[in-house]
Amino acid sequence: MKILASILFIATFTADPAPSDSVGLQYCYDSVSETYPVAKKIDLQRKITALNKKIINTGYYPQLNIGAKASYQSEVTEFGIPGMATAPSVSKDQYEAKVNVTQNIFNGGAVGIQKELEHAKGMQDIHEIEVEMHQVRSQINQVYFGILLSKQQQEVNGLLIDNLKEQLASVKAKVQNGVLLRSQQNILEAELIKAQQDSATIQSTIRASYKVLSEIINDDISPSTPLTLPKVNVSYRSLQPKRAEYDLFDATQKLMEQRKELVETKKLPKVSAFGSAVYGRPGYNFLNDDFHEYYMVGIQLQWSLFNYLNSDRELQALNIEQKKIEQNRKAFNRQLNSQLERIGERLTVIRENIKGDKQIIKLRKQVVKESASKLKNGSITATEYVTELNQANKAKLSLFINQVKLSEAQIEYATVLGVPLK
């Protein structure tokens, strides 16, 4: 399939040993694969498939049935033979204990095909579970990078609070000495309260996000535990997708092929041997009214005209199902290409934004430095200083956020392709 172009940006991940008190993205993936309820369904499905194959395998063995019956009928056949005082008669009460044995001799290989069919069903179910797990991986990415972004906001907001406190202390001294008006102090105090409110809101968001992440990976992670930003080495090379959906498409096609083979067996006659061992009365010789053993053995052939005629229709239906699967594959390819193209464009924009952020920070830093000096000299108001300070902090926050977004986009690219981090 065509994935964007022959050469595209993709992230090749290197996992540095993370500190013991930190959590990495790969750790979250590994925890989910071990503890998430959906992941456990894979082992359960394998056990179900193994048991069903053992059940199907009994089709090779003789089929044994045991039965018994007792009956009473209101009338029986009576014989009137001239010259005989007592004619033989059949009892109205009849009894039978029977053992039937049937052994397939030829059934077109249906048992073997059914085993392969059950295996194909099991693989289809497993790949469906893997598709579900891929969606969980996307959820982890969203929560994980959401926490990283919030922590960056908290860090920048903390710098803002420290800066405001520093300037507020200086302004208070000047207000007390009568150099500046009280209103200048009030402006800084109001901005400090606003920044502290923002800090509380961000912290609440971080705590809630940690709870969500802990629930997904089934591990209690404290909000004080740092999350490591995945390190990315840029590599310009094309990679083939490894999405579970492709395995699911292949498994479903395999399932259709096995079903077609099973349908083909309906066209063939079935040959089997059978035998019955009975104890009761009357037997096959109904004139013998004593309890005794009797038996029957034989061979039989079965062939159904309607099965033969309907098998072609079933094959046509299965061929249509296979065409539908291929259409689903093509639709998925198109959707995947579209996602990769959007992420590729976003990566280009983020890189350009990071370059711009660095230039803006350098310029804003100089402006804030000059504004702080002017505020101390009383040549500008606190409002003007706060405006410049906010602009500088917005530039820092923009850089931090774009750096996290760059890593997030690269991880998303790998996730869309289904490429593991390690």
Side-chain angles (χ1 to χ4, degrees), residues 158-190:
L159 294 175
L160 174 62
I161 290 173
D162 292 341
N163 202 320
L164 286 171
K165 287 180 177 179
E166 180 182 349
Q167 295 302 323
L168 182 59
S170 176
V171 168
K172 279 184 178 180
K174 293 184 181 297
V175 169
Q176 291 174 356
N177 295 329
V179 177
L180 292 176
L181 296 175
R182 175 74 183 184
S183 61
Q184 302 303 306
Q185 178 181 335
N186 293 341
I187 291 172
L188 290 177
E189 288 178 341

PDB file of all heavy atoms in Angstrom, residues 158-190:
ATOM      1  N   GLY A 158       4.215  28.666  37.391  1.00  0.00           N
ATOM      2  CA  GLY A 158       5.027  28.822  38.599  1.00  0.00           C
ATOM      3  C   GLY A 158       6.094  29.891  38.429  1.00  0.00           C
ATOM      4  O   GLY A 158       6.375  30.672  39.358  1.00  0.00           O
ATOM      5  N   LEU A 159       6.717  29.923  37.249  1.00  0.00           N
ATOM      6  CA  LEU A 159       7.701  30.973  36.972  1.00  0.00           C
ATOM      7  C   LEU A 159       7.054  32.349  37.006  1.00  0.00           C
ATOM      8  O   LEU A 159       7.646  33.327  37.494  1.00  0.00           O
ATOM      9  CB  LEU A 159       8.349  30.728  35.602  1.00  0.00           C
ATOM     10  CG  LEU A 159       9.209  29.460  35.472  1.00  0.00           C
ATOM     11  CD1 LEU A 159       9.678  29.289  34.027  1.00  0.00           C
ATOM     12  CD2 LEU A 159      10.415  29.539  36.408  1.00  0.00           C
ATOM     13  N   LEU A 160       5.833  32.438  36.476  1.00  0.00           N
ATOM     14  CA  LEU A 160       5.099  33.698  36.497  1.00  0.00           C
ATOM     15  C   LEU A 160       4.839  34.139  37.931  1.00  0.00           C
ATOM     16  O   LEU A 160       5.012  35.323  38.285  1.00  0.00           O
ATOM     17  CB  LEU A 160       3.791  33.546  35.731  1.00  0.00           C
ATOM     18  CG  LEU A 160       2.820  34.734  35.779  1.00  0.00           C
ATOM     19  CD1 LEU A 160       3.458  35.977  35.163  1.00  0.00           C
ATOM     20  CD2 LEU A 160       1.509  34.398  35.089  1.00  0.00           C
ATOM     21  N   ILE A 161       4.412  33.208  38.780  1.00  0.00           N
ATOM     22  CA  ILE A 161       4.139  33.531  40.182  1.00  0.00           C
ATOM     23  C   ILE A 161       5.402  34.017  40.882  1.00  0.00           C
ATOM     24  O   ILE A 161       5.383  35.025  41.619  1.00  0.00           O
ATOM     25  CB  ILE A 161       3.554  32.294  40.903  1.00  0.00           C
ATOM     26  CG1 ILE A 161       2.138  32.008  40.388  1.00  0.00           C
ATOM     27  CG2 ILE A 161       3.534  32.503  42.421  1.00  0.00           C
ATOM     28  CD1 ILE A 161       1.534  30.728  40.913  1.00  0.00           C
ATOM     29  N   ASP A 162       6.517  33.319  40.657  1.00  0.00           N
ATOM     30  CA  ASP A 162       7.786  33.733  41.284  1.00  0.00           C
ATOM     31  C   ASP A 162       8.185  35.127  40.829  1.00  0.00           C
ATOM     32  O   ASP A 162       8.648  35.957  41.640  1.00  0.00           O
ATOM     33  CB  ASP A 162       8.885  32.726  40.929  1.00  0.00           C
ATOM     34  CG  ASP A 162       8.652  31.373  41.581  1.00  0.00           C
ATOM     35  OD1 ASP A 162       7.886  31.308  42.558  1.00  0.00           O
ATOM     36  OD2 ASP A 162       9.233  30.382  41.093  1.00  0.00           O
ATOM     37  N   ASN A 163       8.015  35.418  39.549  1.00  0.00           N
ATOM     38  CA  ASN A 163       8.381  36.728  39.008  1.00  0.00           C
ATOM     39  C   ASN A 163       7.493  37.823  39.589  1.00  0.00           C
ATOM     40  O   ASN A 163       7.961  38.906  39.964  1.00  0.00           O
ATOM     41  CB  ASN A 163       8.265  36.701  37.486  1.00  0.00           C
ATOM     42  CG  ASN A 163       9.113  37.774  36.823  1.00  0.00           C
ATOM     43  OD1 ASN A 163       9.183  38.887  37.303  1.00  0.00           O
ATOM     44  ND2 ASN A 163       9.746  37.409  35.711  1.00  0.00           N
ATOM     45  N   LEU A 164       6.200  37.534  39.683  1.00  0.00           N
ATOM     46  CA  LEU A 164       5.269  38.517  40.245  1.00  0.00           C
ATOM     47  C   LEU A 164       5.581  38.794  41.716  1.00  0.00           C
ATOM     48  O   LEU A 164       5.526  39.952  42.171  1.00  0.00           O
ATOM     49  CB  LEU A 164       3.831  38.013  40.098  1.00  0.00           C
ATOM     50  CG  LEU A 164       3.225  38.069  38.684  1.00  0.00           C
ATOM     51  CD1 LEU A 164       1.885  37.340  38.640  1.00  0.00           C
ATOM     52  CD2 LEU A 164       3.049  39.520  38.223  1.00  0.00           C
ATOM     53  N   LYS A 165       5.901  37.758  42.466  1.00  0.00           N
ATOM     54  CA  LYS A 165       6.244  37.948  43.874  1.00  0.00           C
ATOM     55  C   LYS A 165       7.502  38.808  44.019  1.00  0.00           C
ATOM     56  O   LYS A 165       7.575  39.682  44.898  1.00  0.00           O
ATOM     57  CB  LYS A 165       6.465  36.593  44.544  1.00  0.00           C
ATOM     58  CG  LYS A 165       5.197  35.806  44.789  1.00  0.00           C
ATOM     59  CD  LYS A 165       5.499  34.481  45.461  1.00  0.00           C
ATOM     60  CE  LYS A 165       4.213  33.716  45.767  1.00  0.00           C
ATOM     61  NZ  LYS A 165       4.479  32.396  46.400  1.00  0.00           N
ATOM     62  N   GLU A 166       8.468  38.556  43.149  1.00  0.00           N
ATOM     63  CA  GLU A 166       9.712  39.331  43.197  1.00  0.00           C
ATOM     64  C   GLU A 166       9.459  40.804  42.903  1.00  0.00           C
ATOM     65  O   GLU A 166       9.927  41.701  43.621  1.00  0.00           O
ATOM     66  CB  GLU A 166      10.715  38.756  42.192  1.00  0.00           C
ATOM     67  CG  GLU A 166      12.037  39.499  42.172  1.00  0.00           C
ATOM     68  CD  GLU A 166      12.984  38.934  41.118  1.00  0.00           C
ATOM     69  OE1 GLU A 166      12.687  37.862  40.561  1.00  0.00           O
ATOM     70  OE2 GLU A 166      14.016  39.586  40.853  1.00  0.00           O
ATOM     71  N   GLN A 167       8.671  41.072  41.860  1.00  0.00           N
ATOM     72  CA  GLN A 167       8.385  42.456  41.502  1.00  0.00           C
ATOM     73  C   GLN A 167       7.467  43.114  42.531  1.00  0.00           C
ATOM     74  O   GLN A 167       7.590  44.310  42.819  1.00  0.00           O
ATOM     75  CB  GLN A 167       7.738  42.514  40.115  1.00  0.00           C
ATOM     76  CG  GLN A 167       8.639  42.046  38.994  1.00  0.00           C
ATOM     77  CD  GLN A 167       9.920  42.859  38.917  1.00  0.00           C
ATOM     78  OE1 GLN A 167       9.920  44.075  39.154  1.00  0.00           O
ATOM     79  NE2 GLN A 167      11.017  42.174  38.595  1.00  0.00           N
ATOM     80  N   LEU A 168       6.552  42.298  43.109  1.00  0.00           N
ATOM     81  CA  LEU A 168       5.645  42.846  44.120  1.00  0.00           C
ATOM     82  C   LEU A 168       6.410  43.301  45.354  1.00  0.00           C
ATOM     83  O   LEU A 168       6.101  44.354  45.936  1.00  0.00           O
ATOM     84  CB  LEU A 168       4.609  41.786  44.506  1.00  0.00           C
ATOM     85  CG  LEU A 168       3.542  42.212  45.514  1.00  0.00           C
ATOM     86  CD1 LEU A 168       2.747  43.413  44.983  1.00  0.00           C
ATOM     87  CD2 LEU A 168       2.599  41.055  45.823  1.00  0.00           C
ATOM     88  N   ALA A 169       7.403  42.546  45.756  1.00  0.00           N
ATOM     89  CA  ALA A 169       8.216  42.940  46.907  1.00  0.00           C
ATOM     90  C   ALA A 169       8.924  44.268  46.645  1.00  0.00           C
ATOM     91  O   ALA A 169       8.996  45.153  47.519  1.00  0.00           O
ATOM     92  CB  ALA A 169       9.234  41.848  47.229  1.00  0.00           C
ATOM     93  N   SER A 170       9.440  44.416  45.414  1.00  0.00           N
ATOM     94  CA  SER A 170      10.127  45.663  45.059  1.00  0.00           C
ATOM     95  C   SER A 170       9.158  46.836  45.017  1.00  0.00           C
ATOM     96  O   SER A 170       9.448  47.934  45.511  1.00  0.00           O
ATOM     97  CB  SER A 170      10.816  45.492  43.701  1.00  0.00           C
ATOM     98  OG  SER A 170      11.404  46.703  43.279  1.00  0.00           O
ATOM     99  N   VAL A 171       7.961  46.615  44.444  1.00  0.00           N
ATOM    100  CA  VAL A 171       6.977  47.688  44.326  1.00  0.00           C
ATOM    101  C   VAL A 171       6.447  48.091  45.697  1.00  0.00           C
ATOM    102  O   VAL A 171       6.225  49.288  45.978  1.00  0.00           O
ATOM    103  CB  VAL A 171       5.820  47.246  43.400  1.00  0.00           C
ATOM    104  CG1 VAL A 171       4.647  48.219  43.482  1.00  0.00           C
ATOM    105  CG2 VAL A 171       6.315  47.151  41.969  1.00  0.00           C
ATOM    106  N   LYS A 172       6.244  47.116  46.590  1.00  0.00           N
ATOM    107  CA  LYS A 172       5.753  47.423  47.939  1.00  0.00           C
ATOM    108  C   LYS A 172       6.699  48.387  48.645  1.00  0.00           C
ATOM    109  O   LYS A 172       6.261  49.336  49.331  1.00  0.00           O
ATOM    110  CB  LYS A 172       5.616  46.139  48.757  1.00  0.00           C
ATOM    111  CG  LYS A 172       4.353  45.359  48.502  1.00  0.00           C
ATOM    112  CD  LYS A 172       4.288  44.155  49.432  1.00  0.00           C
ATOM    113  CE  LYS A 172       2.995  43.379  49.231  1.00  0.00           C
ATOM    114  NZ  LYS A 172       2.913  42.195  50.126  1.00  0.00           N
ATOM    115  N   ALA A 173       7.989  48.111  48.517  1.00  0.00           N
ATOM    116  CA  ALA A 173       8.978  48.975  49.171  1.00  0.00           C
ATOM    117  C   ALA A 173       8.879  50.391  48.625  1.00  0.00           C
ATOM    118  O   ALA A 173       8.960  51.384  49.379  1.00  0.00           O
ATOM    119  CB  ALA A 173      10.381  48.408  48.962  1.00  0.00           C
ATOM    120  N   LYS A 174       8.688  50.544  47.303  1.00  0.00           N
ATOM    121  CA  LYS A 174       8.613  51.868  46.698  1.00  0.00           C
ATOM    122  C   LYS A 174       7.306  52.566  47.080  1.00  0.00           C
ATOM    123  O   LYS A 174       7.256  53.787  47.228  1.00  0.00           O
ATOM    124  CB  LYS A 174       8.747  51.755  45.177  1.00  0.00           C
ATOM    125  CG  LYS A 174      10.126  51.278  44.724  1.00  0.00           C
ATOM    126  CD  LYS A 174      10.251  51.267  43.234  1.00  0.00           C
ATOM    127  CE  LYS A 174      11.640  50.768  42.824  1.00  0.00           C
ATOM    128  NZ  LYS A 174      12.709  51.648  43.286  1.00  0.00           N
ATOM    129  N   VAL A 175       6.230  51.772  47.223  1.00  0.00           N
ATOM    130  CA  VAL A 175       4.949  52.367  47.640  1.00  0.00           C
ATOM    131  C   VAL A 175       5.069  52.906  49.071  1.00  0.00           C
ATOM    132  O   VAL A 175       4.588  54.002  49.393  1.00  0.00           O
ATOM    133  CB  VAL A 175       3.817  51.338  47.537  1.00  0.00           C
ATOM    134  CG1 VAL A 175       2.538  51.859  48.211  1.00  0.00           C
ATOM    135  CG2 VAL A 175       3.537  51.000  46.082  1.00  0.00           C
ATOM    136  N   GLN A 176       5.721  52.128  49.927  1.00  0.00           N
ATOM    137  CA  GLN A 176       5.894  52.569  51.315  1.00  0.00           C
ATOM    138  C   GLN A 176       6.762  53.826  51.399  1.00  0.00           C
ATOM    139  O   GLN A 176       6.566  54.668  52.284  1.00  0.00           O
ATOM    140  CB  GLN A 176       6.530  51.444  52.129  1.00  0.00           C
ATOM    141  CG  GLN A 176       5.608  50.254  52.348  1.00  0.00           C
ATOM    142  CD  GLN A 176       6.309  49.089  53.024  1.00  0.00           C
ATOM    143  OE1 GLN A 176       7.520  49.141  53.275  1.00  0.00           O
ATOM    144  NE2 GLN A 176       5.541  48.040  53.327  1.00  0.00           N
ATOM    145  N   ASN A 177       7.681  53.955  50.484  1.00  0.00           N
ATOM    146  CA  ASN A 177       8.554  55.134  50.461  1.00  0.00           C
ATOM    147  C   ASN A 177       7.942  56.303  49.691  1.00  0.00           C
ATOM    148  O   ASN A 177       8.577  57.356  49.557  1.00  0.00           O
ATOM    149  CB  ASN A 177       9.916  54.778  49.849  1.00  0.00           C
ATOM    150  CG  ASN A 177      10.672  53.792  50.716  1.00  0.00           C
ATOM    151  OD1 ASN A 177      10.536  53.780  51.937  1.00  0.00           O
ATOM    152  ND2 ASN A 177      11.494  52.953  50.069  1.00  0.00           N
ATOM    153  N   GLY A 178       6.728  56.066  49.132  1.00  0.00           N
ATOM    154  CA  GLY A 178       6.051  57.134  48.418  1.00  0.00           C
ATOM    155  C   GLY A 178       6.524  57.358  47.015  1.00  0.00           C
ATOM    156  O   GLY A 178       6.141  58.344  46.367  1.00  0.00           O
ATOM    157  N   VAL A 179       7.310  56.435  46.484  1.00  0.00           N
ATOM    158  CA  VAL A 179       7.832  56.606  45.120  1.00  0.00           C
ATOM    159  C   VAL A 179       6.777  56.191  44.093  1.00  0.00           C
ATOM    160  O   VAL A 179       6.662  56.808  43.028  1.00  0.00           O
ATOM    161  CB  VAL A 179       9.111  55.771  44.933  1.00  0.00           C
ATOM    162  CG1 VAL A 179       9.618  55.883  43.495  1.00  0.00           C
ATOM    163  CG2 VAL A 179      10.179  56.213  45.919  1.00  0.00           C
ATOM    164  N   LEU A 180       6.007  55.133  44.396  1.00  0.00           N
ATOM    165  CA  LEU A 180       4.974  54.653  43.479  1.00  0.00           C
ATOM    166  C   LEU A 180       3.607  54.721  44.151  1.00  0.00           C
ATOM    167  O   LEU A 180       3.501  54.696  45.396  1.00  0.00           O
ATOM    168  CB  LEU A 180       5.261  53.204  43.061  1.00  0.00           C
ATOM    169  CG  LEU A 180       6.496  52.958  42.185  1.00  0.00           C
ATOM    170  CD1 LEU A 180       6.685  51.471  41.957  1.00  0.00           C
ATOM    171  CD2 LEU A 180       6.372  53.694  40.855  1.00  0.00           C
ATOM    172  N   LEU A 181       2.574  54.782  43.313  1.00  0.00           N
ATOM    173  CA  LEU A 181       1.214  54.809  43.821  1.00  0.00           C
ATOM    174  C   LEU A 181       0.796  53.422  44.299  1.00  0.00           C
ATOM    175  O   LEU A 181       1.279  52.398  43.810  1.00  0.00           O
ATOM    176  CB  LEU A 181       0.240  55.286  42.734  1.00  0.00           C
ATOM    177  CG  LEU A 181       0.419  56.720  42.245  1.00  0.00           C
ATOM    178  CD1 LEU A 181      -0.521  57.009  41.092  1.00  0.00           C
ATOM    179  CD2 LEU A 181       0.213  57.715  43.388  1.00  0.00           C
ATOM    180  N   ARG A 182      -0.150  53.374  45.234  1.00  0.00           N
ATOM    181  CA  ARG A 182      -0.665  52.126  45.766  1.00  0.00           C
ATOM    182  C   ARG A 182      -1.325  51.286  44.673  1.00  0.00           C
ATOM    183  O   ARG A 182      -1.310  50.041  44.715  1.00  0.00           O
ATOM    184  CB  ARG A 182      -1.704  52.444  46.856  1.00  0.00           C
ATOM    185  CG  ARG A 182      -2.419  51.241  47.443  1.00  0.00           C
ATOM    186  CD  ARG A 182      -1.539  50.474  48.360  1.00  0.00           C
ATOM    187  NE  ARG A 182      -2.201  49.288  48.878  1.00  0.00           N
ATOM    188  CZ  ARG A 182      -1.687  48.451  49.774  1.00  0.00           C
ATOM    189  NH1 ARG A 182      -0.472  48.698  50.248  1.00  0.00           N
ATOM    190  NH2 ARG A 182      -2.364  47.415  50.190  1.00  0.00           N
ATOM    191  N   SER A 183      -1.876  51.924  43.665  1.00  0.00           N
ATOM    192  CA  SER A 183      -2.551  51.202  42.580  1.00  0.00           C
ATOM    193  C   SER A 183      -1.599  50.264  41.844  1.00  0.00           C
ATOM    194  O   SER A 183      -2.007  49.210  41.349  1.00  0.00           O
ATOM    195  CB  SER A 183      -3.183  52.190  41.597  1.00  0.00           C
ATOM    196  OG  SER A 183      -2.181  53.016  41.008  1.00  0.00           O
ATOM    197  N   GLN A 184      -0.325  50.627  41.769  1.00  0.00           N
ATOM    198  CA  GLN A 184       0.649  49.765  41.092  1.00  0.00           C
ATOM    199  C   GLN A 184       0.826  48.456  41.862  1.00  0.00           C
ATOM    200  O   GLN A 184       0.940  47.383  41.275  1.00  0.00           O
ATOM    201  CB  GLN A 184       1.990  50.495  40.966  1.00  0.00           C
ATOM    202  CG  GLN A 184       1.921  51.816  40.227  1.00  0.00           C
ATOM    203  CD  GLN A 184       1.359  51.653  38.817  1.00  0.00           C
ATOM    204  OE1 GLN A 184       1.862  50.853  38.037  1.00  0.00           O
ATOM    205  NE2 GLN A 184       0.307  52.400  38.509  1.00  0.00           N
ATOM    206  N   GLN A 185       0.816  48.574  43.204  1.00  0.00           N
ATOM    207  CA  GLN A 185       0.908  47.368  44.035  1.00  0.00           C
ATOM    208  C   GLN A 185      -0.341  46.517  43.886  1.00  0.00           C
ATOM    209  O   GLN A 185      -0.266  45.285  43.807  1.00  0.00           O
ATOM    210  CB  GLN A 185       1.105  47.772  45.495  1.00  0.00           C
ATOM    211  CG  GLN A 185       1.170  46.578  46.452  1.00  0.00           C
ATOM    212  CD  GLN A 185       1.336  47.012  47.898  1.00  0.00           C
ATOM    213  OE1 GLN A 185       1.844  48.094  48.175  1.00  0.00           O
ATOM    214  NE2 GLN A 185       0.904  46.167  48.833  1.00  0.00           N
ATOM    215  N   ASN A 186      -1.510  47.162  43.828  1.00  0.00           N
ATOM    216  CA  ASN A 186      -2.765  46.424  43.696  1.00  0.00           C
ATOM    217  C   ASN A 186      -2.829  45.632  42.396  1.00  0.00           C
ATOM    218  O   ASN A 186      -3.357  44.514  42.347  1.00  0.00           O
ATOM    219  CB  ASN A 186      -3.947  47.394  43.762  1.00  0.00           C
ATOM    220  CG  ASN A 186      -4.096  48.023  45.140  1.00  0.00           C
ATOM    221  OD1 ASN A 186      -3.567  47.518  46.122  1.00  0.00           O
ATOM    222  ND2 ASN A 186      -4.797  49.144  45.205  1.00  0.00           N
ATOM    223  N   ILE A 187      -2.321  46.219  41.327  1.00  0.00           N
ATOM    224  CA  ILE A 187      -2.325  45.531  40.031  1.00  0.00           C
ATOM    225  C   ILE A 187      -1.507  44.239  40.104  1.00  0.00           C
ATOM    226  O   ILE A 187      -1.941  43.182  39.641  1.00  0.00           O
ATOM    227  CB  ILE A 187      -1.796  46.459  38.921  1.00  0.00           C
ATOM    228  CG1 ILE A 187      -2.791  47.596  38.664  1.00  0.00           C
ATOM    229  CG2 ILE A 187      -1.532  45.674  37.645  1.00  0.00           C
ATOM    230  CD1 ILE A 187      -2.270  48.657  37.735  1.00  0.00           C
ATOM    231  N   LEU A 188      -0.327  44.325  40.696  1.00  0.00           N
ATOM    232  CA  LEU A 188       0.528  43.150  40.803  1.00  0.00           C
ATOM    233  C   LEU A 188      -0.101  42.098  41.723  1.00  0.00           C
ATOM    234  O   LEU A 188      -0.017  40.888  41.443  1.00  0.00           O
ATOM    235  CB  LEU A 188       1.908  43.541  41.329  1.00  0.00           C
ATOM    236  CG  LEU A 188       2.778  44.346  40.367  1.00  0.00           C
ATOM    237  CD1 LEU A 188       4.094  44.727  41.030  1.00  0.00           C
ATOM    238  CD2 LEU A 188       3.062  43.547  39.095  1.00  0.00           C
ATOM    239  N   GLU A 189      -0.710  42.549  42.820  1.00  0.00           N
ATOM    240  CA  GLU A 189      -1.353  41.606  43.733  1.00  0.00           C
ATOM    241  C   GLU A 189      -2.524  40.882  43.051  1.00  0.00           C
ATOM    242  O   GLU A 189      -2.723  39.677  43.242  1.00  0.00           O
ATOM    243  CB  GLU A 189      -1.837  42.339  44.990  1.00  0.00           C
ATOM    244  CG  GLU A 189      -0.700  42.770  45.909  1.00  0.00           C
ATOM    245  CD  GLU A 189      -1.197  43.540  47.128  1.00  0.00           C
ATOM    246  OE1 GLU A 189      -2.346  44.045  47.088  1.00  0.00           O
ATOM    247  OE2 GLU A 189      -0.437  43.644  48.115  1.00  0.00           O
ATOM    248  N   ALA A 190      -3.295  41.616  42.256  1.00  0.00           N
ATOM    249  CA  ALA A 190      -4.408  41.003  41.530  1.00  0.00           C
ATOM    250  C   ALA A 190      -3.907  39.967  40.529  1.00  0.00           C
ATOM    251  O   ALA A 190      -4.484  38.869  40.390  1.00  0.00           O
ATOM    252  CB  ALA A 190      -5.236  42.078  40.822  1.00  0.00           C
TER     253      ALA A 190
END
